[in-house]
Amino acid sequence: MKSKEKLLEIDSLYLNYGSIKAVKGISLYLKKNEIVTLVGANGAGKSSLLKGIMNIEKTKGDILFKNNKINNLATEKIVNKGISIIPEGHLIFSSMTVWENLQLGVYQGNKDKDITLEEIYNYFPILEKRKEQKAGTLSGGEQQMLSIGRALLSGPELLLVDEPSLGLAPQIVQDIFTILKKLNKDGFTILLAEQNVKKSLEIADRAYVLKTGEIVREGKANDMLAESNFMDLYLN
Amino acid sequence: MEIVLAQIVNGFSLGSIYVLLVTGFNLMLLVARIIQFAYPQFVVLSMYASWAVLESTNNIFLAALAAIISSIILNLLSEPIFRRINNRENVDINASFVASMGLSMIIVEIMSHSINNGFPVSFPDYWGGKNLFSFGYINLGRGEFYALTGGIILVAIFFYLLYHTHYGRVFRAIAESRKTAKQVGLAVLKSSILSYLVAGILGGIIAILFSMLLGSASPWLGESVALKVLAVSITAGLGNLKGGLYVGLSLGILESLAVGFLAGSWANVIAFVLMLIVVLTKPEGLFGAAIE
């Protein structure tokens, strides 16, 4: 049974890049153990919203995590509170080994976390095989797994996942989405920003459709998936 | 042959000081993202601090402590200045270079007007001047011995910490990509401030070893050393820690050999000739630049 407790609540959030308004008064929420996806075309404001939540970019408006305002906290403090981001473009530290990249996550975040390196190796056995290898020598999919592994090791309750399928082969994309679903089953709440609308609606509970920085529709992911003209209405 | 050997021994001692200086300089470049031209000036000012304590107390321990504390304070005091500069939008790393040159000039003026009436200061023999070992032309002074062994130990400790501790890994992550480090929520600001502290401790120990090696300090020492440190870093590849190690040590040896065989102060030109050749033929530096 999924709990009704709201984990994240965003109220009238604005984010500007100079004169460009990337996020225009967005309000949304996530309940514990949900997968919520943000769908929308390129430039709709999905990534900006995730960056705003992590305070990588400055925002106006309210962001509440477990009923506490987190707007002005430094990104590392937000990680300590229990939110981790898996940034777009499988960002890893390529000159460092796989193990060293994972260790960066181990020392980050909540001190009471109970996730271990062994559990990460269970999710991604390939990372254990490659642990001594420089991260820059991994394939795109493996780098994405490493990026997820590092984020998990900081012990988050909420994972923000930014365009995980970007630049990956279809089979790898399928693997990544399967893992996200598994993570959700294991108790992680996920906010997913993704251009691959079908794939993300398939694994999500609810979805918000973004267009030029605003929410134009929200609802159950299944309902949207069932609408034959959904893509034409909102995403073209 | 003996002369050459003697000069090489001297060169290793001088080279290990260059290695330490360029390591501190590169650390600030990589983690705090500044070109800290004033870093060697802080070292020289800390040499003065230990000299002043030696003059008044004759206590070696207190004098060493004074150098380290002075260097930590100077480095930490400069942090808010550089942070303010770096926080401005559309400011590149050269802004910190210009600011640190200004800081460097102020320190030179302070030293040349307010300390010992601007005259160079000499350290007493018991600080590092005694001879430890003589064989023909080869004389190994205590200062040379300490500079050499201290340099090797310190570099070994520094690299150990960099590769085997959490903060070392965070330093390397920030050095590789500040942007990624920020995005994944590594403590970039805290690590940057920590790098000033580490550079401060390192600078204090350099001040002790350098004053033991030279036996004196002057207001103009820092400037010539700062130019050489910059030349070493550019020659090796800006921010390349391992490259700095090889080029710093080689420069020490080349300069010492040049002192033995060339007239006047030609030795001081070597660093810049090397830099010019490298800039013209391999602009990324001999070992490749390590900053984005």
Side-chain angles (χ1 to χ4, degrees):
Chain A
M1 276 300 288
K2 290 191 172 178
S3 146
K4 297 285 179 197
E5 188 189 333
K6 275 183 189 169
L7 193 62
L8 182 80
E9 246 186 304
I10 294 173
D11 190 26
S12 306
L13 198 76
Y14 290 84
L15 191 159
N16 302 333
Y17 297 107
S19 60
I20 301 162
K21 295 184 168 92
V23 174
K24 297 183 262 190
I26 282 183
S27 300
L28 57 79
Y29 67 90
L30 257 93
K31 287 184 204 161
K32 224 175 156 157
N33 279 18
E34 269 190 318
I35 299 188
V36 171
T37 182
L38 306 169
V39 293
N42 202 4
K46 307 182 299 289
S47 293
S48 300
L49 181 60
L50 298 193
K51 284 180 185 155
I53 296 171
M54 295 305 289
N55 202 12
I56 295 164
E57 301 291 345
K58 296 272 169 247
T59 54
K60 268 189 222 158
D62 281 345
I63 306 172
L64 292 137
F65 181 65
K66 296 201 270 190
N67 295 322
N68 294 312
K69 209 171 161 187
I70 56 163
N71 293 55
N72 299 316
L73 295 179
T75 306
E76 66 259 30
K77 296 259 166 65
I78 295 174
V79 176
N80 291 346
K81 293 268 178 201
I83 309 180
S84 280
I85 186 168
I86 298 157
E88 183 183 328
H90 28 91
L91 295 182
I92 42 102
F93 298 100
S94 54
S95 67
M96 297 167 78
T97 65
V98 168
W99 182 84
E100 285 177 324
N101 268 275
L102 291 171
Q103 286 299 311
L104 289 173
V106 170
Y107 285 89
Q108 253 185 315
N110 185 353
K111 288 202 170 62
D112 306 324
K113 62 192 167 190
D114 51 7
I115 190 156
T116 62
L117 198 55
E118 276 61 43
E119 287 173 69
I120 300 305
Y121 288 151
N122 283 338
Y123 282 119
F124 309 108
I126 191 76
L127 295 182
E128 186 168 21
K129 271 192 200 159
R130 305 235 190 280
K131 63 183 176 189
E132 301 297 333
Q133 230 171 285
K134 287 266 163 72
T137 64
L138 299 180
S139 71
E142 289 164 353
Q143 290 187 359
Q144 185 62 283
M145 290 173 197
L146 178 57
S147 183
I148 298 172
R150 185 195 49 218
L152 289 176
L153 278 166
S154 63
E157 283 180 65
L158 172 60
L159 268 178
L160 310 183
V161 190
D162 196 1
E163 303 284 0
S165 72
L166 202 73
L168 299 179
Q171 182 51 48
I172 311 288
V173 172
Q174 186 55 51
D175 292 349
I176 297 286
F177 276 86
T178 306
I179 281 166
L180 290 178
K181 190 73 194 166
K182 187 169 189 302
L183 288 171
N184 177 243
K185 272 194 185 144
D186 293 347
F188 293 96
T189 308
I190 296 174
L191 180 58
L192 171 68
E194 176 61 53
Q195 280 194 59
N196 191 332
V197 180
K198 191 167 172 289
K199 279 258 173 294
S200 54
L201 288 177
E202 276 169 6
I203 64 162
D205 298 300
R206 289 188 302 115
Y208 291 91
V209 182
L210 269 68
K211 203 165 191 177
T212 58
E214 289 172 299
I215 292 175
V216 291
R217 168 136 186 226
E218 59 180 286
K220 285 190 175 165
N222 280 341
D223 295 346
M224 294 185 193
L225 207 53
E227 288 174 27
S228 54
N229 59 349
F230 177 75
M231 295 288 276
D232 296 332
L233 276 176
Y234 297 106
L235 299 163
N236 291 322
Chain B
M1 190 59 201
E2 267 182 36
I3 295 176
V4 173
L5 266 179
Q7 298 298 358
I8 288 176
V9 171
N10 289 339
F12 268 107
S13 304
L14 183 61
S16 55
I17 297 286
Y18 288 152
V19 167
L20 291 174
L21 280 164
V22 83
T23 301
F25 174 85
N26 279 338
L27 175 71
M28 314 236 57
L29 182 62
L30 292 168
V31 184
R33 203 159 175 77
I34 59 165
I35 298 182
Q36 179 43 310
F37 189 74
Y39 184 60
Q41 296 290 5
F42 290 167
V43 169
V44 175
L45 203 53
S46 303
M47 288 164 77
Y48 272 92
S50 60
W51 168 81
V53 171
L54 271 182
E55 284 287 298
S56 52
T57 66
N58 291 329
N59 186 320
I60 293 175
F61 175 74
L62 284 181
L65 198 64
I68 293 171
I69 291 172
S70 137
S71 173
I72 291 174
I73 291 173
L74 288 166
N75 278 285
L76 286 180
L77 279 180
S78 71
E79 192 276 335
I81 302 172
F82 290 114
R83 193 195 322 170
R84 218 180 144 76
I85 293 168
N86 273 356
N87 278 353
R88 294 219 172 118
E89 273 179 39
N90 304 322
V91 163
D92 71 7
I93 198 164
N94 292 322
S96 66
F97 185 28
V98 175
S100 67
M101 281 172 88
L103 208 57
S104 168
M105 285 163 123
I106 294 168
I107 294 171
V108 172
E109 286 309 308
I110 291 171
M111 289 190 292
S112 57
H113 289 110
S114 311
I115 306 176
N116 203 28
N117 294 320
F119 291 112
V121 297
S122 293
F123 287 82
D125 264 357
Y126 60 81
W127 182 245
K130 278 184 199 160
N131 224 15
L132 267 187
F133 166 83
S134 287
F135 182 78
Y137 285 104
I138 304 173
N139 292 310
L140 188 67
R142 208 165 55 172
E144 281 162 338
F145 176 74
Y146 285 147
L148 183 58
T149 51
I152 292 169
I153 292 168
L154 216 53
V155 166
I157 291 174
F158 179 81
F159 275 87
Y160 179 82
L161 294 176
L162 201 60
Y163 281 85
H164 297 279
T165 65
H166 170 59
Y167 273 107
R169 285 190 286 270
V170 173
F171 276 8
R172 282 163 52 219
I174 294 171
E176 185 186 314
S177 173
R178 208 177 176 78
K179 192 177 146 221
T180 304
K182 269 188 184 163
Q183 294 235 344
V184 301
L186 293 179
V188 175
L189 176 63
K190 196 169 133 193
S191 307
S192 170
I193 295 171
L194 189 66
S195 76
Y196 282 83
L197 178 68
V198 174
I201 296 168
L202 189 65
I205 302 174
I206 300 171
I208 298 165
L209 299 175
F210 206 16
S211 56
M212 284 177 163
L213 179 68
L214 296 180
S216 65
S218 73
W220 310 278
L221 174 65
E223 223 160 42
S224 71
V225 173
L227 286 168
K228 282 184 196 169
V229 166
L230 189 64
V232 168
S233 185
I234 291 172
T235 305
L238 270 173
N240 191 316
L241 288 163
K242 284 180 184 162
L245 213 141
Y246 299 125
V247 176
L249 206 56
S250 308
L251 179 67
I253 295 166
L254 283 174
E255 279 191 355
S256 293
L257 287 173
V259 167
F261 297 102
L262 298 176
S265 53
W266 277 108
N268 285 325
V269 182
I270 292 174
F272 308 107
V273 173
L274 273 178
M275 182 185 75
L276 273 179
I277 295 170
V278 169
V279 165
L280 289 173
T281 57
K282 212 167 179 291
E284 282 282 289
L286 290 176
F287 297 85
I291 57 167
E292 287 172 309

